[in-house]
Each structure stands twice: as structure tokens, then as C-alpha cells.
Amino acid sequence: MMSFLALRSLWTDFITPIYRRPLGLQLAALCHRDGKNGKEVLLISSSRGRWIIPKGWPMDGKTAAEAARIEAWEEAGVQKCHVSEKAVGSILAEKRYDDGRVLPCEVKVFSVKVTKLADDFPEADRRERIWVSPEKAAEMVDDGALKTLFSDLPSR
């Protein structure tokens, strides 16, 4: 029979670290423009059919803001824009892989003021995109922290 100290050591040194996986880091683009009726947010469809914002992993040799801009181009066709150098927010999310794995991630979100979209872009055949008000965007996304960022957008 194991002693209490041996059990505690097993729990502390081996089992607990398995459940305390480090957070991954992703970078996201909160794309927006001034529309006819006020501020609009660009949402794109995910591979699972949810409405999301463009996001991806850090890129070697690129700042976080540059990586967010590249994601906005690849996933949403944002051709001309101004990207904030500092993140406007940070949210906790889960990256879900097709094989069922889930990685908890911190997602740093950058403001991307869009001036031109392209019709032809790398993921055009895999994504739908839509411009909506920040209020409508908050209704369409699943993530609560992202809903809050949309709610705060009109005051930015």
C-alpha cells in the first residue's frame, strides 16, 4: 500500500502537470470599417460552420500585429488596412483539432481598420464572410469574451 507522502508526490509531480498544460498563443484580427449605418465588423465562417474572426499562430520574423494582418489577408481577403501595434484585448479560447485534441490558448486580438477587401484570397473557397454591426456580431459568435470586445468596439 502506498504511503500518503508517496501518493501526494505522485499527484503533485506527475498527475497535476498533465492537466496544467501551458496555454498556446494565437493572434487574431478584429476587422472593422465605418459603414453607412456606423461601425461594422467582419466575420468569417470556420471549418465547423461557426462565425469567427481571423486568427492563427505567431509567425517567425513577424510581429504579433503583422501576423494578425497576414491572417486577415489569408482568411478574409483584407487587402488594405491599418493594424494596431498593441492588442486591443486578450481572450481565452480553445483550439480544436480535427482529431479531437483541444489546446487552451490565449488569443491576442488586434484592431484592423479595413479599407479594401479582395475577392480572390488564399482561403476564399473555404470561407464565407459578412459585415455586420458589432451588436449583431456579438449575437453571432459563440465566445463570450469576443462578444465583449465587439460590445466595446463602438467606443474605440
Side-chain angles (χ1 to χ4, degrees), residues 55-72:
K55 71 177 184 293
W57 303 106
M59 299 174 187
D60 288 340
K62 303 290 182 194
T63 67
E66 289 170 333
R69 181 192 52 77
I70 291 167
E71 292 298 334

Side-chain angles (χ1 to χ4, degrees), residues 98-148:
D98 291 338
D99 64 7
R101 288 179 299 136
V102 177
L103 174 67
C105 291
E106 176 188 7
V107 181
K108 291 186 178 186
V109 182
F110 292 82
S111 171
V112 177
K113 182 157 176 123
V114 178
T115 55
K116 184 176 181 184
L117 287 180
D119 290 329
D120 187 26
F121 54 97
E123 296 187 19
D125 60 334
R126 296 178 36 206
R127 308 267 186 197
E128 290 181 53
R129 59 186 181 184
I130 186 172
W131 287 104
V132 295
S133 70
E135 298 79 19
K136 181 70 174 168
E139 292 174 12
M140 294 172 69
V141 298
D142 294 333
D143 186 271
L146 191 54
K147 291 175 187 284
T148 302

